[in-house]
Amino acid sequence: MTYLHDPTLVVYGQVLLALVFSVAGAQKLRQREEFVGIVRNFRILPPRVAEPAARLLPFAELALAAALLVPTLLQVTGGVAFLLLAIFSLAVAVNLVRGRQNIDCGCFRTGAGQHLSWWMVARNLGLMGLALLLATKPATAAAPGLLDLITASLAAAVTALLYVAATQIRVAASLIPAAAHAHAHHHEVKSS
């Protein structure tokens, strides 16, 4: 089972999760008021708890991102990352089961809202796997070498860029039917 805790894979998990939480936290901070509305719209937390939770979450994500890069904290930070991702997944799944897929997920504030989907739950399950890997890393696992650090960091950066590109494509594809409908409606009005 120690092959699971290969130094390159562990560093990959650290860097990728740190990127995810730092970007998510920073973007939520930039659009704080909008994010408070998104958390309320999930209808999971009681209204009096939703606003403080939404205001605290970006800071918690940024702190977790920094702590994930500290090797001696991996078991704790991996566990916290796993727990947060499980909570996010549960909130998305509950709303999907309720039939509320057309609400903004609030994951990464990119200007265009991302509607809820089972793809988000699957993505979080993958990230939870990495978090679990970090949380269960034995203290006796091999330390990463310079090549491990470089390889894993580059792989995590490429993964993050591919994810951003895929997300932008999904958002753009979801806008095409709305734009086509608006274009068709415009031509109907002109013809009348």
Side-chain angles (χ1 to χ4, degrees):
M1 203 69 161
T2 55
Y3 65 90
L4 280 177
H5 294 99
D6 176 88
T8 306
L9 186 57
V10 170
V11 173
Y12 172 80
Q14 284 179 268
V15 174
L16 184 61
L17 288 170
L19 282 170
V20 166
F21 283 110
S22 63
V23 170
Q27 290 179 342
K28 287 169 188 157
L29 272 179
R30 272 187 244 138
Q31 298 175 341
R32 277 176 257 182
E33 296 309 314
E34 183 181 352
F35 185 65
V36 169
I38 289 169
V39 171
R40 284 184 180 139
N41 195 30
F42 264 78
R43 299 181 191 158
I44 299 287
L45 298 172
R48 69 182 195 292
V49 176
E51 183 173 348
R55 294 198 184 281
L56 179 64
L57 182 59
F59 295 106
E61 287 179 324
L62 290 170
L64 178 58
L68 277 162
L69 298 176
V70 179
T72 56
L73 299 177
L74 279 186
Q75 291 171 330
V76 172
T77 56
V80 171
F82 182 89
L83 183 62
L84 274 178
L85 290 162
I87 291 168
F88 299 156
S89 299
L90 182 62
V92 170
V94 165
N95 277 283
L96 286 170
V97 169
R98 290 176 178 168
R100 302 184 72 234
Q101 68 272 5
N102 288 328
I103 63 174
D104 189 342
C105 77
C107 309
F108 300 99
R109 308 304 311 130
T110 58
Q114 295 180 59
H115 291 155
L116 302 184
S117 69
W118 289 108
W119 156 248
M120 290 176 181
V121 176
R123 171 201 68 196
N124 283 355
L125 289 175
L127 293 172
M128 287 168 64
L130 284 176
L132 188 59
L133 173 83
L134 300 180
T136 59
K137 179 184 174 277
T140 58
L146 181 59
L147 186 58
D148 296 321
L149 293 170
I150 293 170
T151 303
S153 297
L154 289 174
V158 168
T159 302
L161 289 172
L162 288 172
Y163 174 76
V164 168
T167 300
Q168 293 302 322
I169 290 168
R170 287 191 54 199
V171 169
S174 72
L175 297 176
I176 290 171
H181 177 72
H183 183 71
H185 180 71
H186 176 72
H187 281 296
E188 283 178 21
V189 171
K190 270 184 132 175
S191 301
S192 305

